[in-house]
Amino acid sequence: MKQIAIVGLGIIGGSFAKALANRLPGRYKVSAIDINQDTLDEAKKLGFIEKGETTNKSILQNADIVIIALYPNLVTEFVVTHQEDFKEGALIVETSGIKKSIMQELLPLIPEQVEFIFGHPMAGRESQGFAFADDRVFLHANYVITPSDKNKAASIEFFSQLLKDLGFGRITISSPKTHDLMIAYTSQLTHLIAAALINSDSTGQNTVEFIGDSFRELTRIAKMNEKLWSELMLNNREPLLEVIESFEKQLANLKQAILTNDKEALEQEFIHSTQKRLALESADQAHEFAKERGK
Amino acid sequence: MKQIAIVGLGIIGGSFAKALANRLPGRYKVSAIDINQDTLDEAKKLGFIEKGETTNKSILQNADIVIIALYPNLVTEFVVTHQEDFKEGALIVETSGIKKSIMQELLPLIPEQVEFIFGHPMAGRESQGFAFADDRVFLHANYVITPSDKNKAASIEFFSQLLKDLGFGRITISSPKTHDLMIAYTSQLTHLIAAALINSDSTGQNTVEFIGDSFRELTRIAKMNEKLWSELMLNNREPLLEVIESFEKQLANLKQAILTNDKEALEQEFIHSTQKRLALESADQAHEFAKERGK
């Protein structure tokens, strides 16, 4: 039986472990490396992994597929430290939320005997750790693969199929540069907006009495892992600053229409936003499945 | 049996009709006035109202409670046109999303024989019309009542109990000024942000391939009724401009931290936003019931 090693049993690694156990029972032997022994014990007790090690002893040597789900800044060190330990012909999956910087750093260091697949599961939870890992977040979710020139087409195809078997919806092939720009817009900017919105509460009132679901939804992701998000954003500054400015301009347009009492301009902006949202919904098969993802 | 008249069977009026039928069957005789005969026919066929009129003939004359759920700019005209038609001692409920301007306008015009309760159900849908009305949106939701000096305590108490019977969670008594500031922040600003976010997409890419649930959630309300929202916002310009600027400042702080590569500042902002969101969640009993509201 082929073996899969998961490195880091947080939200992403933990969700992979749970998805493998729940959706592909018996297909792989799954092990995990995590610095927290309690997490490993828990994952083993619940039947999500067969074996756990706090530092690699024999897991990497036996793994046909390694899924690395560490903080981005820890990935390179992990690979360099363990370059002799990877099994000949292993597929190493790297999952961090930015791609250009990590690929530039890692590509020259990849051990000869393995193949790396860089990519990003567009799925998560606002809470951290194995207890909050949940394979439902993968259901119909997007996954972006950013191939390098060292990838074999067959490996990308094999891994794409595995992702679909684990519940993912759309698998997109992208350049790292495009990925990073898009993620700056769809994910990093949205987190900045949520933080700015909740931090801007200067009303001095008991805000909770005056909220509806729009405020609840727009601030859900204001609860975030500050270390991870700072790292992701500061490794992606150029595209992030670009999309922040683009957003600021649009908000300034709306503000100007309000300032000048320009009803027609305001209505036009809202007609435009409505059209864009409707277009997004009709293109987004995952839209209908938010509840299945527990959102 | 006491009679309730609903004026305007859109999202709010329609949801009141459905909540009355589903949660308090047989307690009131419910009628409706709506300009659309098809909507009235549909509501009657589905058993949500007993009687419908496209312009008032006898409904207001018999109604002990009138729930006005029209666009804010239509409320005053409706009241003035029908000032002779309201039943002696009737309770008139006005539900629009801003309070100061409408109360200033309406208070001098309220007919002697009736009592107005101004307020705002903090519940809605991003789609419009009776077909999308859904009494689940009221479940555990907030309702803000902004009393005038003409209100009797007993009437406010009676109406608050009716709201709880219809599913609302927290009923808050507020001044119109505070209400309008808070709603500028929690509801109008959030809609502006959603519109600005989706309108700022200048990536030229197929955005849908790169989205996760945070982008899906933050743009849900970018689909909006442009006429209603423009009206609400332009009648609430001063507090709205204030909260936009407050938000812009917070976003500028975050941008500055990214520009200067200031990890510590960025982390502090995210710790702050996380704390604020956690505090909100623990104070918000409605938080847990988003799914029951179909959100």
Side-chain angles (χ1 to χ4, degrees):
Chain A
M1 192 186 295
K2 288 215 172 192
Q3 301 200 13
I4 292 187
I6 297 171
V7 182
L9 280 182
I11 286 288
I12 295 298
S15 298
F16 268 107
K18 292 177 183 181
L20 285 162
N22 293 334
R23 297 182 61 98
L24 303 176
R27 194 192 290 181
Y28 296 98
K29 183 178 169 187
V30 180
S31 307
I33 297 171
D34 192 282
I35 50 170
N36 190 327
Q37 184 65 52
D38 291 343
T39 300
L40 293 169
D41 292 344
E42 179 75 3
K44 204 171 163 185
K45 200 181 84 189
L46 295 169
F48 294 122
I49 61 170
E50 291 184 37
K51 189 177 177 180
E53 294 174 355
T54 53
T55 53
N56 179 61
K57 291 190 191 73
S58 64
I59 284 179
L60 292 178
Q61 289 82 344
N62 291 300
D64 304 286
I65 301 169
V66 179
I67 298 172
I68 302 180
L70 296 171
Y71 280 37
N73 289 359
L74 299 177
V75 175
T76 300
E77 193 198 329
F78 182 87
V79 173
V80 171
T81 307
H82 296 286
Q83 53 187 318
E84 310 284 326
D85 301 334
F86 296 112
K87 184 176 176 180
E88 177 83 31
L91 211 55
I92 319 287
V93 173
E94 186 280 329
T95 60
S96 65
I98 35 163
K99 302 269 64 101
K100 203 174 129 190
S101 57
I102 204 159
M103 285 176 72
Q104 277 173 344
E105 194 176 285
L106 254 178
L107 277 171
L109 304 170
I110 292 177
E112 282 288 315
Q113 82 274 23
V114 301
E115 181 176 351
F116 259 65
I117 297 187
F118 293 91
H120 179 195
M122 243 144 281
R125 284 272 190 256
E126 68 276 21
S127 302
Q128 59 197 75
F130 181 71
F132 293 96
D134 184 342
D135 54 299
R136 290 180 306 156
V137 299
F138 291 168
L139 286 175
H140 308 278
N142 284 325
Y143 199 108
V144 178
I145 295 174
T146 52
S148 74
D149 54 15
K150 291 182 181 172
N151 280 124
K152 294 176 207 140
S155 308
I156 303 285
E157 202 177 312
F158 164 80
F159 182 57
S160 299
Q161 188 56 53
L162 176 59
L163 291 172
K164 292 202 166 178
D165 293 345
L166 294 176
F168 282 94
R170 193 192 306 248
I171 320 292
T172 297
I173 304 293
S174 164
S175 74
K177 192 180 167 187
T178 297
H179 168 275
D180 287 0
L181 171 65
M182 295 310 294
I183 245 48
Y185 172 57
T186 62
S187 170
Q188 299 184 343
L189 175 59
T190 51
H191 281 76
L192 288 173
I193 287 172
L197 175 60
I198 205 159
N199 285 351
S200 79
D201 186 351
S202 57
T203 60
Q205 301 292 325
N206 192 11
T207 304
V208 71
E209 296 175 348
F210 297 89
I211 62 174
D213 286 321
S214 60
F215 192 83
R216 290 187 186 99
E217 275 183 46
L218 264 76
T219 58
R220 178 180 65 84
I221 55 173
K223 185 168 82 181
M224 61 176 120
N225 177 336
E226 73 276 1
K227 289 195 189 306
L228 176 62
W229 282 99
S230 298
E231 221 180 278
L232 290 169
M233 290 176 183
L234 293 178
N235 279 314
N236 199 32
R237 288 165 62 215
E238 202 185 311
L240 183 52
L241 289 167
E242 193 181 308
V243 298
I244 293 172
E245 274 158 30
S246 190
F247 171 78
E248 285 177 328
K249 271 183 208 150
Q250 289 295 328
L251 187 61
N253 287 348
L254 293 165
K255 186 179 161 190
Q256 184 62 18
I258 292 161
L259 197 63
T260 57
N261 218 351
D262 190 343
K263 190 160 202 266
E264 202 184 314
L266 206 52
E267 286 185 6
Q268 282 309 313
E269 295 280 358
F270 296 157
I271 289 169
H272 185 53
S273 72
T274 300
Q275 286 166 344
K276 285 187 79 90
R277 169 69 191 188
L278 287 170
L280 189 81
E281 284 177 16
S282 70
D284 179 23
Q285 68 267 62
H287 171 67
E288 296 298 323
F289 301 96
K291 278 170 211 167
E292 286 186 41
R293 286 191 299 281
K295 295 293 172 66
Chain B
M1 190 186 295
K2 289 215 171 192
Q3 301 201 13
I4 293 186
I6 297 170
V7 182
L9 280 182
I11 284 289
I12 295 298
S15 298
F16 267 108
K18 292 178 183 180
L20 285 161
N22 292 334
R23 297 182 61 98
L24 302 175
R27 193 192 291 182
Y28 295 98
K29 182 178 169 187
V30 180
S31 306
I33 298 171
D34 192 283
I35 50 169
N36 189 327
Q37 183 65 51
D38 291 343
T39 301
L40 293 169
D41 293 344
E42 179 74 3
K44 204 171 164 186
K45 200 181 83 188
L46 295 169
F48 294 121
I49 61 170
E50 291 184 35
K51 191 178 177 181
E53 294 173 355
T54 53
T55 54
N56 179 61
K57 292 190 191 70
S58 64
I59 284 178
L60 293 179
Q61 288 83 343
N62 292 299
D64 303 286
I65 300 168
V66 179
I67 298 170
I68 303 181
L70 296 171
Y71 280 38
N73 289 359
L74 299 176
V75 175
T76 300
E77 193 198 327
F78 182 87
V79 173
V80 171
T81 307
H82 296 287
Q83 54 187 318
E84 309 284 328
D85 301 334
F86 294 113
K87 184 177 177 179
E88 178 82 30
L91 210 56
I92 319 288
V93 173
E94 186 279 329
T95 60
S96 65
I98 37 165
K99 301 270 62 97
K100 202 174 131 190
S101 57
I102 204 158
M103 285 176 73
Q104 278 175 343
E105 194 176 285
L106 254 178
L107 276 171
L109 304 170
I110 292 177
E112 282 288 316
Q113 81 276 23
V114 300
E115 182 177 349
F116 259 66
I117 297 188
F118 294 90
H120 178 194
M122 242 143 283
R125 283 272 190 255
E126 68 275 22
S127 301
Q128 58 196 74
F130 180 72
F132 293 96
D134 184 342
D135 54 300
R136 291 180 306 156
V137 298
F138 291 168
L139 287 175
H140 308 277
N142 284 325
Y143 199 108
V144 178
I145 294 175
T146 53
S148 74
D149 52 16
K150 294 182 179 171
N151 280 124
K152 295 176 206 137
S155 308
I156 303 283
E157 203 176 311
F158 163 80
F159 182 57
S160 298
Q161 188 55 53
L162 176 59
L163 291 173
K164 290 201 166 176
D165 293 344
L166 294 177
F168 280 95
R170 191 190 306 247
I171 320 293
T172 296
I173 304 293
S174 163
S175 74
K177 192 180 167 187
T178 297
H179 168 275
D180 287 1
L181 172 64
M182 295 310 294
I183 246 46
Y185 173 58
T186 62
S187 170
Q188 298 183 344
L189 176 60
T190 51
H191 280 76
L192 288 173
I193 287 171
L197 175 61
I198 205 159
N199 285 351
S200 79
D201 186 352
S202 57
T203 59
Q205 300 293 325
N206 192 12
T207 304
V208 70
E209 296 175 348
F210 297 89
I211 63 174
D213 286 320
S214 59
F215 192 84
R216 289 185 186 100
E217 275 183 48
L218 264 76
T219 58
R220 177 180 65 85
I221 55 173
K223 184 169 83 181
M224 61 176 121
N225 177 337
E226 73 277 2
K227 289 196 190 305
L228 176 62
W229 281 100
S230 298
E231 222 180 277
L232 290 168
M233 290 177 183
L234 293 179
N235 279 314
N236 199 31
R237 286 164 64 215
E238 202 185 312
L240 184 51
L241 289 167
E242 195 181 307
V243 299
I244 293 172
E245 274 159 28
S246 192
F247 171 78
E248 284 177 329
K249 270 182 212 151
Q250 289 296 327
L251 188 61
N253 287 348
L254 293 165
K255 186 179 158 190
Q256 184 61 19
I258 292 161
L259 198 62
T260 57
N261 218 350
D262 190 342
K263 190 160 200 266
E264 202 184 314
L266 205 52
E267 285 185 8
Q268 283 309 313
E269 296 280 359
F270 295 158
I271 288 170
H272 186 54
S273 72
T274 299
Q275 285 166 343
K276 287 188 78 90
R277 169 68 191 189
L278 286 170
L280 189 83
E281 284 178 16
S282 69
D284 179 25
Q285 69 267 61
H287 171 67
E288 296 297 324
F289 300 96
K291 277 170 211 167
E292 285 186 40
R293 286 192 297 280
K295 295 293 173 61

